[in-house]
Amino acid sequence: MEQAADNPQVAFQPVMCQHCNHAPCETVCPVAATSHSRQGQNHMAYNRCVGTRYCANNCPYKVRRFNWFLYNKNSEFDFHMNDDLGRMVLNPDVNARSRGVMEKCSMCIQMTQATILSAKRDGRAIADGEFQTACSNACSSGAMIFGDVNDKESKVAELAQEERMYHLLEHVGTKPNVFYHVKVRNT
């Protein structure tokens, strides 16, 4: 039998905010800029953040980033965004962040809230697969799936029960809401 150490194989694994249930980044923020939602997402109030970077220091996944630059109306970063016409391509639902705040994956909270409000307005339950994030929407292979894990009939809940499922740094005890599957190779 072949020893795995003799021929190591590498796989690229993108790591985003894990939206932990016991998030260490939430407890250290002196201005409560990061908090937990009822949907299980870890939210960031960018206009409340003062940039202490305590949350980045306390995150075991190292997924928070500090915004060092002022991109808006800055001539050094002129990608046709310094005029009114150029700024019209920006998504009005996404909060424009300034220099000196922490950045993280928000699990596209604007898309999640739009789905919830649309279903509420129509007086119906949210269908399985209706929740989308930008990354799951762009993933043509279906490797990234977003949904309600509490709905036992959903595809996400089914995938969460599989034997291949694991959490990153499970031993830390943060109880993340992002699930990964072991990569299976047929060599």
Side-chain angles (χ1 to χ4, degrees), residues 72-73 78 80-90:
N72 193 18
K73 298 180 182 175
D78 187 15
H80 306 289
M81 296 298 165
N82 287 340
D83 56 9
D84 290 336
L85 186 63
R87 282 193 295 278
M88 288 174 73
V89 301
L90 300 176

Side-chain angles (χ1 to χ4, degrees), residues 68-139:
W68 291 99
F69 303 109
L70 179 65
Y71 295 99
N72 193 18
K73 298 180 182 175
N74 188 341
S75 60
E76 293 180 32
F77 298 101
D78 187 15
F79 300 105
H80 306 289
M81 296 298 165
N82 287 340
D83 56 9
D84 290 336
L85 186 63
R87 282 193 295 278
M88 288 174 73
V89 301
L90 300 176
N91 187 345
D93 294 333
V94 178
N95 187 14
R97 290 154 323 266
S98 180
R99 169 179 43 209
V101 299
M102 294 302 299
E103 304 266 348
K104 66 180 268 328
C105 165
S106 66
M107 286 279 189
C108 297
I109 185 63
Q110 73 279 3
M111 295 173 82
T112 305
Q113 291 302 318
T115 303
I116 292 168
L117 291 174
S118 173
K120 191 176 195 179
R121 182 184 59 235
D122 297 343
R124 60 176 172 79
I126 298 170
D128 185 28
E130 191 175 355
F131 279 123
Q132 288 292 324
T133 60
C135 57
S136 67
N137 204 5
C139 183

